PDB file of all heavy atoms in Angstrom:
ATOM      1  N   LEU A 687      74.894  -9.246 140.370  1.00  0.00           N
ATOM      2  CA  LEU A 687      74.987 -10.673 140.642  1.00  0.00           C
ATOM      3  C   LEU A 687      73.931 -11.153 141.652  1.00  0.00           C
ATOM      4  O   LEU A 687      73.224 -12.131 141.407  1.00  0.00           O
ATOM      5  CB  LEU A 687      76.377 -11.010 141.210  1.00  0.00           C
ATOM      6  CG  LEU A 687      77.519 -11.107 140.211  1.00  0.00           C
ATOM      7  CD1 LEU A 687      78.775 -11.586 140.898  1.00  0.00           C
ATOM      8  CD2 LEU A 687      77.178 -12.065 139.075  1.00  0.00           C
ATOM      9  N   CYS A 688      73.808 -10.440 142.786  1.00  0.00           N
ATOM     10  CA  CYS A 688      72.932 -10.946 143.823  1.00  0.00           C
ATOM     11  C   CYS A 688      71.740 -10.040 144.142  1.00  0.00           C
ATOM     12  O   CYS A 688      70.863 -10.413 144.950  1.00  0.00           O
ATOM     13  CB  CYS A 688      73.704 -11.232 145.108  1.00  0.00           C
ATOM     14  SG  CYS A 688      74.289  -9.749 145.940  1.00  0.00           S
ATOM     15  N   GLY A 689      71.701  -8.842 143.587  1.00  0.00           N
ATOM     16  CA  GLY A 689      70.584  -7.948 143.818  1.00  0.00           C
ATOM     17  C   GLY A 689      70.706  -7.096 145.085  1.00  0.00           C
ATOM     18  O   GLY A 689      69.760  -6.427 145.467  1.00  0.00           O
ATOM     19  N   ALA A 690      71.868  -7.110 145.744  1.00  0.00           N
ATOM     20  CA  ALA A 690      72.074  -6.311 146.941  1.00  0.00           C
ATOM     21  C   ALA A 690      71.996  -4.820 146.597  1.00  0.00           C
ATOM     22  O   ALA A 690      72.326  -4.405 145.473  1.00  0.00           O
ATOM     23  CB  ALA A 690      73.410  -6.639 147.604  1.00  0.00           C
ATOM     24  N   VAL A 691      71.592  -3.994 147.554  1.00  0.00           N
ATOM     25  CA  VAL A 691      71.472  -2.552 147.320  1.00  0.00           C
ATOM     26  C   VAL A 691      72.824  -1.866 147.552  1.00  0.00           C
ATOM     27  O   VAL A 691      73.775  -2.466 148.050  1.00  0.00           O
ATOM     28  CB  VAL A 691      70.405  -1.949 148.266  1.00  0.00           C
ATOM     29  CG1 VAL A 691      69.041  -2.521 147.932  1.00  0.00           C
ATOM     30  CG2 VAL A 691      70.740  -2.203 149.730  1.00  0.00           C
ATOM     31  N   LYS A 692      72.900  -0.562 147.207  1.00  0.00           N
ATOM     32  CA  LYS A 692      74.163   0.186 147.334  1.00  0.00           C
ATOM     33  C   LYS A 692      74.701   0.180 148.763  1.00  0.00           C
ATOM     34  O   LYS A 692      75.910   0.156 148.969  1.00  0.00           O
ATOM     35  CB  LYS A 692      73.975   1.637 146.884  1.00  0.00           C
ATOM     36  CG  LYS A 692      74.050   1.827 145.374  1.00  0.00           C
ATOM     37  CD  LYS A 692      74.032   3.328 145.014  1.00  0.00           C
ATOM     38  CE  LYS A 692      75.315   4.001 145.419  1.00  0.00           C
ATOM     39  NZ  LYS A 692      75.363   5.426 145.024  1.00  0.00           N
ATOM     40  N   ALA A 693      73.787   0.200 149.727  1.00  0.00           N
ATOM     41  CA  ALA A 693      74.214   0.236 151.130  1.00  0.00           C
ATOM     42  C   ALA A 693      75.009  -1.016 151.511  1.00  0.00           C
ATOM     43  O   ALA A 693      75.724  -1.004 152.529  1.00  0.00           O
ATOM     44  CB  ALA A 693      73.010   0.415 152.048  1.00  0.00           C
ATOM     45  N   ASP A 694      74.873  -2.079 150.723  1.00  0.00           N
ATOM     46  CA  ASP A 694      75.576  -3.327 151.060  1.00  0.00           C
ATOM     47  C   ASP A 694      76.982  -3.388 150.433  1.00  0.00           C
ATOM     48  O   ASP A 694      77.645  -4.417 150.508  1.00  0.00           O
ATOM     49  CB  ASP A 694      74.757  -4.524 150.543  1.00  0.00           C
ATOM     50  CG  ASP A 694      73.463  -4.718 151.324  1.00  0.00           C
ATOM     51  OD1 ASP A 694      73.512  -4.507 152.544  1.00  0.00           O
ATOM     52  OD2 ASP A 694      72.461  -5.071 150.746  1.00  0.00           O
ATOM     53  N   PHE A 695      77.420  -2.280 149.819  1.00  0.00           N
ATOM     54  CA  PHE A 695      78.771  -2.204 149.242  1.00  0.00           C
ATOM     55  C   PHE A 695      79.704  -1.435 150.176  1.00  0.00           C
ATOM     56  O   PHE A 695      79.277  -0.516 150.877  1.00  0.00           O
ATOM     57  CB  PHE A 695      78.722  -1.500 147.873  1.00  0.00           C
ATOM     58  CG  PHE A 695      78.260  -2.397 146.745  1.00  0.00           C
ATOM     59  CD1 PHE A 695      76.956  -2.793 146.652  1.00  0.00           C
ATOM     60  CD2 PHE A 695      79.169  -2.810 145.755  1.00  0.00           C
ATOM     61  CE1 PHE A 695      76.511  -3.603 145.611  1.00  0.00           C
ATOM     62  CE2 PHE A 695      78.739  -3.632 144.731  1.00  0.00           C
ATOM     63  CZ  PHE A 695      77.422  -4.022 144.649  1.00  0.00           C
ATOM     64  N   GLU A 696      80.971  -1.817 150.150  1.00  0.00           N
ATOM     65  CA  GLU A 696      81.984  -1.103 150.927  1.00  0.00           C
ATOM     66  C   GLU A 696      83.156  -0.738 150.025  1.00  0.00           C
ATOM     67  O   GLU A 696      83.550  -1.499 149.148  1.00  0.00           O
ATOM     68  CB  GLU A 696      82.491  -1.998 152.066  1.00  0.00           C
ATOM     69  CG  GLU A 696      81.469  -2.227 153.181  1.00  0.00           C
ATOM     70  CD  GLU A 696      82.030  -3.054 154.308  1.00  0.00           C
ATOM     71  OE1 GLU A 696      83.084  -3.720 154.092  1.00  0.00           O
ATOM     72  OE2 GLU A 696      81.440  -3.052 155.410  1.00  0.00           O
ATOM     73  N   GLY A 697      83.716   0.452 150.275  1.00  0.00           N
ATOM     74  CA  GLY A 697      84.876   0.892 149.530  1.00  0.00           C
ATOM     75  C   GLY A 697      86.121   0.138 149.932  1.00  0.00           C
ATOM     76  O   GLY A 697      86.148  -0.547 150.986  1.00  0.00           O
ATOM     77  N   GLU A 698      87.165   0.263 149.121  1.00  0.00           N
ATOM     78  CA  GLU A 698      88.407  -0.479 149.406  1.00  0.00           C
ATOM     79  C   GLU A 698      89.002  -0.116 150.742  1.00  0.00           C
ATOM     80  O   GLU A 698      89.655  -0.916 151.376  1.00  0.00           O
ATOM     81  CB  GLU A 698      89.434  -0.166 148.304  1.00  0.00           C
ATOM     82  CG  GLU A 698      89.095  -0.748 146.953  1.00  0.00           C
ATOM     83  CD  GLU A 698      90.103  -0.369 145.896  1.00  0.00           C
ATOM     84  OE1 GLU A 698      90.593   0.757 145.911  1.00  0.00           O
ATOM     85  OE2 GLU A 698      90.412  -1.243 145.070  1.00  0.00           O
ATOM     86  N   GLU A 699      88.756   1.133 151.167  1.00  0.00           N
ATOM     87  CA  GLU A 699      89.386   1.575 152.387  1.00  0.00           C
ATOM     88  C   GLU A 699      88.634   1.116 153.635  1.00  0.00           C
ATOM     89  O   GLU A 699      89.111   1.299 154.748  1.00  0.00           O
ATOM     90  CB  GLU A 699      89.493   3.103 152.426  1.00  0.00           C
ATOM     91  CG  GLU A 699      88.154   3.833 152.636  1.00  0.00           C
ATOM     92  CD  GLU A 699      87.287   3.823 151.367  1.00  0.00           C
ATOM     93  OE1 GLU A 699      87.763   3.392 150.306  1.00  0.00           O
ATOM     94  OE2 GLU A 699      86.145   4.285 151.462  1.00  0.00           O
ATOM     95  N   ALA A 700      87.400   0.569 153.427  1.00  0.00           N
ATOM     96  CA  ALA A 700      86.603   0.197 154.620  1.00  0.00           C
ATOM     97  C   ALA A 700      87.218  -0.969 155.343  1.00  0.00           C
ATOM     98  O   ALA A 700      87.629  -1.945 154.742  1.00  0.00           O
ATOM     99  CB  ALA A 700      85.182  -0.167 154.158  1.00  0.00           C
ATOM    100  N   ALA A 701      87.297  -0.877 156.640  1.00  0.00           N
ATOM    101  CA  ALA A 701      87.853  -1.949 157.451  1.00  0.00           C
ATOM    102  C   ALA A 701      86.716  -2.859 157.897  1.00  0.00           C
ATOM    103  O   ALA A 701      85.671  -2.385 158.390  1.00  0.00           O
ATOM    104  CB  ALA A 701      88.555  -1.369 158.683  1.00  0.00           C
ATOM    105  N   VAL A 702      86.896  -4.151 157.735  1.00  0.00           N
ATOM    106  CA  VAL A 702      85.873  -5.117 158.104  1.00  0.00           C
ATOM    107  C   VAL A 702      86.227  -5.736 159.442  1.00  0.00           C
ATOM    108  O   VAL A 702      87.318  -6.262 159.628  1.00  0.00           O
ATOM    109  CB  VAL A 702      85.765  -6.234 157.041  1.00  0.00           C
ATOM    110  CG1 VAL A 702      84.696  -7.221 157.435  1.00  0.00           C
ATOM    111  CG2 VAL A 702      85.471  -5.599 155.684  1.00  0.00           C
TER     112      VAL A 702
END
Side-chain angles (χ1 to χ4, degrees):
L687 282 185
C688 71
V691 296
K692 278 187 71 177
D694 292 322
F695 280 71
E696 290 182 343
E698 290 179 321
E699 72 284 354
V702 180

